Amino acid sequence: PVNFGFLNAIMLAGLAALVLPIIVHLISKRRFDVVDWGAMQFLELGRRMRRRVRLQDLLLMALRMALLGLLALGMARPWASGGFLQAFSPNDPRDIAIVIDGSYSMNWEGLGVTPRSSAIQRAHEILDACRPGDTVTLIDAREQPERVAGTPTSDLTFVRRALDTLPPATGTSDLAAAAADAVQTLAFTTNAKRHVIVLTDGQALPWLPANSSAWTNCDDLRRQLPIPLQMFAIDVTDGAVEADGNVFVDPLLLSRELAVPDFPVRIRTTLRQSGPEPIERKAWLELNGQRLDETTQTVTVPPHGRAPVEFEHRFAAAGSYVATVAVDQDDLPSDDRSPAALLVDQGLPVLLIDGDPQLDPVQSETFFLKAAFSPADNQAPWVIAETISGTGWSETDLQGRAVVFLCNVPRLDARQRAALKQFVTAGGGLVIAPGDRVDPANYGQSIAEGLLPYALTQQKHEGDFTLSPILFDPESLEAGWLSRFRTSTGTDLAQTRFATWWGLEAPERPADAAPPEAGQAPGAGDDATGISSARVEAQLKTIDPVIVSGTLGRGAVVMLAIPLDADWSTLPTRNDFVPFVHELVFALISGTHERNVSVGDALRLTLQAGESPREWTFIGPDGSRTPGRSPGIGRQEVELRAARFAGIYEAVFADDPERSEFFVAAADRRESDLSGLDPQLAQQLQQDHGLQFVSGTTDYQETTRTEPEPVELWRWLLLTALAMLVLETVMTRRLVLRGRLDLESDAAATSAQVVA
């Protein structure tokens, strides 16, 4: 059957031109006034002659209508699949989209030649088999597909250069999304034969997108094409990849991403393997590419299991670092290393706002905090704390601070609330430690403005409960920064006794608000202009919340139920008080520097005074260099819009090449599962999405020769129209000549009759 694409079918409106010959014929047959003249009777044509002229007129009109119809059909570009026309178009040009899997499983070295190299070689073989008129485009399949060669081109030399300069295989890939992008690329090409060829290593993971919308999108795009295309998949390893015996390192977990010199940082990860036998590996820690031999440890990974690995390191100097846990290399080296970026600062600037300043410093609200952060005998404190009065402070006092403590501050005016909200939204940390001077109604205004995660209700006292004494519930200390203070670790924070505390209550949610997520408080809001992800970090044995937190913009807020002096609890007298407040500060700012991101996220760096974004250059894992840009007016930052590849990024400053800042885009470790595509799933992909699995480029060429493919009919239609145009010219000329001869013959016969 003859088919028309949806868009090309619009060209069939040209068939309306078929009425033009009829209109011309009718106009030529218009009747005029007849004037009888005696001598005209001798010039009238014979009846037989009139019938022949009328028949010739009708045939000529039909021929002209057929000619216009063929032109309209040809412009609509109809096509037919298979049939005898296939034999007349064996070398029709093709539009080809080559998709190369860019995931790190393509770096497997078990065959001596990596699948990535084999895929590039197969792509060159496809280019070698191209004929004049063929066009080719190249797509690098990753988390998001990259159009390496842009639109389809007949410049095969350009495509070959693009193949030879492909970035290294990193991260994971979504072949369904890449196939959809390839189909979209071929949507506006001109050739009837259109092929998408996916070159991969036979791994199952990239064919299974987390969201099935990728395949839905691909199918929708194929249905919209004016001419159907064929999709092929080639396993460049011929199924030789072995899934067993691969050991890989999970993403790193840092106890903090921002530290200070000589502050311990714990680096945790897990070694995994999928083989049936236990595997022994040496694991070690690297800093900025330098191996620390003293950290080497031998780890045995059980069959189909995991083994934890932990390191602790104290950084001697401030700077930007990349910590990497590495193991002995195996056939898949890409997952034998796992990096994470962290920043070491000289000291964290903290502002303590004292709501009850006293002439005797010991009686002030911030005395214990100040002593914990800046002991007299410490010349290089981890936290640089400054104390100001709780009245009369303004937004200028917040500039340059990392964390602000509100220590029993009675009230906040509208200007101060706005300054605090702007400070936290920009990435700062805020701690509220209310005491006996706090006005709950005033703090309720902060709740309404989206600054605080919970509301203050009423004070509660130890004597109101039968339980005695009132202590922390150690099982509630599950947050990462609090986990070290659980009773099982031998600390004494859980032995803190509480005499008085504020009731903390989640604010009411609107009736039409969506339910909170798992672990989120019932009253937590999701509005980008207010607190979100509010949660209880710790509670008392009375089940009353004592520490709650929430996020606001890029910053975070922690709210306590007690002040940080010795009036209401024994917390300042605990041995764990100093590490507790330090962990609190580091927890508040750990997520504000965004040095460890996901692929596709932006990389941002705070500028120093007088610096321009253009003075910074980002160097990617593939060696590409991208000038920094400003993320927006009024923001003192430089950014790289998106991390395209998984791996280590470095930002370098133009005037100081030694000044570097590191970022890490994490790789999805599901890519380390080398399990091959199940035959049943491959058959389902073929049935549901038209994906044909072939063994190699030779099999692909043979399949395209033997299977029916679309053949465009416009050439044959236009040739027929040309032949009909010649026939129409001949018929018109013959009609004119024959008519003149017939008229002369009839006129002579009529004259002879008159003479007789």
Side-chain angles (χ1 to χ4, degrees):
V2 178
N3 300 274
F4 298 91
F6 173 75
L7 297 177
N8 288 352
I10 298 176
M11 299 299 296
L12 293 177
L15 291 176
L18 292 177
V19 301
L20 293 178
I22 300 176
I23 295 174
V24 171
H25 177 74
L26 293 177
I27 292 175
S28 66
K29 300 296 289 183
R30 290 175 56 188
R31 294 185 177 275
F32 299 92
D33 294 336
V34 178
V35 179
D36 292 332
W37 177 36
M40 287 299 296
Q41 59 181 324
F42 301 109
L43 298 177
E44 289 183 359
L45 298 177
R47 184 176 302 172
R48 186 175 179 184
M49 176 70 176
R50 287 197 300 272
R51 285 200 302 267
R52 185 166 64 248
V53 171
R54 187 180 300 113
L55 179 60
Q56 289 175 341
D57 282 344
L58 292 176
L59 288 175
L60 190 58
M61 181 180 65
L63 182 62
R64 289 168 177 168
M65 292 176 63
L67 176 61
L68 292 175
L70 287 175
L71 289 175
L73 290 173
M75 294 180 66
R77 299 190 66 176
W79 54 271
S81 180
F84 73 95
L85 293 177
Q86 185 86 17
F88 295 95
S89 305
N91 297 320
D92 277 357
R94 301 166 298 173
D95 298 317
I96 303 174
I98 302 175
V99 178
I100 296 184
D101 190 345
S103 61
Y104 71 72
S105 66
M106 296 285 285
N107 294 326
W108 189 67
E109 298 178 349
L111 294 176
V113 177
T114 65
R116 181 73 163 180
S117 298
S118 297
I120 293 175
Q121 179 60 35
R122 297 292 189 280
H124 279 291
E125 293 174 1
I126 294 171
L127 295 178
D128 292 338
C130 286
R131 300 181 292 266
D134 289 355
T135 66
V136 180
T137 187
L138 183 62
I139 296 175
D140 191 10
R142 299 180 184 269
E143 287 86 351
Q144 296 293 328
E146 296 279 341
R147 296 186 184 180
V148 180
T151 57
T153 177
S154 58
D155 185 357
L156 302 185
T157 302
F158 170 74
V159 180
R160 292 183 190 278
R161 286 198 300 266
L163 270 175
D164 295 334
T165 57
L166 280 176
T170 61
T172 188
S173 62
D174 186 344
L175 294 183
D181 190 60
V183 172
Q184 188 175 24
T185 303
L186 299 181
F188 301 102
T189 53
T190 59
N191 293 322
K193 297 180 179 180
R194 306 179 189 184
H195 299 163
V196 175
I197 307 171
V198 181
L199 303 174
T200 181
D201 57 358
Q203 186 188 30
L205 176 66
W207 295 110
L208 305 172
N211 190 343
S212 60
S213 62
W215 278 121
T216 303
N217 184 38
C218 182
D219 295 338
D220 289 342
L221 289 171
R222 293 187 66 187
R223 281 192 291 268
Q224 296 173 17
L225 290 179
I227 298 178
L229 57 73
Q230 293 180 286
M231 292 199 305
F232 303 90
I234 300 176
D235 179 1
V236 297
T237 68
D238 296 325
V241 174
E242 297 179 2
D244 295 339
N246 178 47
V247 176
F248 61 92
V249 186
D250 271 342
L252 303 189
L253 297 176
L254 304 177
S255 59
R256 56 190 53 82
E257 294 185 8
L258 178 63
V260 292
D262 202 38
F263 194 87
V265 177
R266 293 184 301 279
I267 303 166
R268 300 189 183 95
T269 188
T270 304
L271 304 188
R272 300 174 186 259
Q273 67 111 347
S274 56
E277 301 293 335
I279 299 178
E280 186 177 279
R281 286 285 190 272
K282 289 183 178 180
W284 62 87
L285 179 66
E286 295 179 358
L287 293 180
N288 290 357
Q290 299 296 318
R291 178 173 176 173
L292 305 181
D293 291 328
E294 66 274 13
T295 64
T296 302
Q297 51 185 275
T298 301
V299 182
T300 300
V301 187
H304 304 286
R306 65 185 70 182
V309 177
E310 180 175 343
F311 301 93
E312 183 173 291
H313 186 76
R314 295 175 182 264
F315 294 85
S320 182
Y321 293 88
V322 174
T324 303
V325 174
V327 297
D328 294 327
Q329 184 170 312
D330 55 20
D331 286 340
L332 185 58
S334 298
D335 60 7
D336 294 335
R337 308 168 61 82
S338 185
L342 70 159
L343 184 65
V344 179
D345 204 346
Q346 284 291 359
L348 305 180
V350 170
L351 179 64
L352 310 179
I353 302 180
D354 194 331
D356 188 18
Q358 302 287 333
L359 293 177
D360 183 2
V362 177
Q363 302 298 321
S364 69
E365 295 287 339
T366 60
F367 172 76
F368 291 100
L369 269 179
K370 183 75 172 179
F373 288 142
S374 305
D377 58 345
N378 189 350
Q379 301 301 318
W382 294 334
V383 175
I384 303 174
E386 179 184 353
T387 304
I388 63 173
S389 172
T391 59
W393 61 272
S394 65
E395 62 272 11
T396 58
D397 295 303
L398 306 182
Q399 295 177 1
R401 313 292 184 176
V403 178
V404 173
F405 282 77
L406 297 181
C407 299
N408 201 12
V409 176
R411 301 175 59 83
L412 298 172
D413 60 35
R415 179 175 51 83
Q416 292 170 337
R417 290 194 298 268
L420 284 172
K421 189 172 182 180
Q422 182 179 5
F423 168 75
V424 177
T425 302
L430 175 63
V431 179
I432 299 99
D436 57 349
R437 293 173 54 83
V438 166
D439 178 5
N442 177 266
Y443 275 68
Q445 185 63 31
S446 297
I447 289 285
E449 295 178 3
L451 179 60
L452 301 185
Y454 271 47
L456 299 174
T457 55
Q458 74 278 348
Q459 295 181 17
K460 299 184 180 183
H461 305 279
E462 185 180 36
D464 299 336
F465 298 86
T466 57
L467 295 176
S468 183
I470 304 299
L471 308 175
F472 273 111
D473 177 8
E475 298 301 321
S476 69
L477 304 178
E478 295 182 351
W481 67 280
L482 285 172
S483 59
R484 62 174 294 187
F485 301 112
R486 296 172 69 95
T487 305
S488 58
T489 62
T491 60
D492 66 350
L493 181 73
Q495 301 304 314
T496 299
R497 183 171 178 175
F498 296 84
T500 305
W501 63 93
W502 279 101
L504 301 179
E505 185 176 287
E508 294 184 1
R509 295 176 58 88
D512 58 347
E517 298 179 358
Q520 186 174 327
D526 295 323
D527 190 353
T529 62
I531 288 289
S532 63
S533 303
R535 66 182 66 244
V536 176
E537 302 279 8
Q539 62 185 25
L540 304 178
K541 288 189 174 181
T542 60
I543 319 181
D544 289 317
V546 68
I547 304 176
V548 297
S549 68
T551 59
L552 177 60
R554 297 174 57 196
V557 178
V558 170
M559 192 172 186
L560 307 179
I562 58 171
L564 290 172
D565 61 6
D567 291 346
W568 286 11
S569 74
T570 62
L571 179 61
T573 66
R574 299 289 93 190
N575 293 327
D576 285 336
F577 179 70
V578 173
F580 169 78
V581 294
H582 278 86
E583 291 287 356
L584 174 57
V585 169
F586 284 111
L588 280 169
I589 61 178
S590 62
T592 61
H593 290 79
E594 301 173 324
R595 296 302 178 97
N596 296 286
V597 300
S598 300
V599 175
D601 290 347
L603 308 182
R604 294 190 179 93
L605 183 67
T606 302
L607 295 173
Q608 297 181 7
E611 290 183 352
S612 168
R614 287 293 175 181
E615 295 180 285
W616 286 90
T617 300
F618 289 88
I619 304 175
D622 60 335
S624 61
R625 303 175 70 90
T626 306
R629 60 185 294 273
S630 173
I633 299 176
R635 298 182 59 179
Q636 299 300 312
E637 293 178 322
V638 58
E639 76 167 7
L640 177 68
R641 178 169 296 177
R644 294 173 52 201
F645 309 115
I648 300 172
Y649 290 79
E650 182 181 7
V652 295
F653 190 62
D655 294 339
D656 186 3
E658 298 298 323
R659 184 180 171 192
S660 298
E661 302 288 340
F662 293 103
F663 301 81
V664 170
D668 188 344
R669 279 299 184 250
R670 292 180 303 165
E671 187 64 30
S672 295
D673 182 2
L674 301 178
S675 301
L677 185 64
D678 183 79
Q680 185 176 357
L681 179 57
Q683 184 177 3
Q684 182 180 348
L685 289 173
Q686 182 169 355
Q687 292 176 351
D688 296 344
H689 309 293
L691 183 67
Q692 302 182 60
F693 289 86
V694 294
S695 60
T697 54
T698 302
D699 191 14
Y700 154 70
Q701 299 290 352
E702 184 63 27
T703 301
T704 57
R705 281 194 296 267
T706 57
E707 289 191 0
E709 287 195 280
V711 176
E712 288 196 282
L713 305 178
W714 65 270
R715 297 183 183 88
W716 310 100
L717 293 174
L718 292 183
L719 286 174
T720 305
L722 181 60
M724 294 180 68
L725 180 62
V726 174
L727 179 60
E728 190 270 347
T729 303
V730 172
M731 287 185 63
T732 302
R733 180 174 178 80
R734 182 175 179 182
L735 179 62
V736 172
L737 293 176
R738 182 64 179 270
R740 183 166 62 86
L741 293 175
D742 288 342
L743 286 174
E744 292 176 353
S745 176
D746 285 349
T750 302
S751 298
Q753 291 176 2
V754 171
V755 173

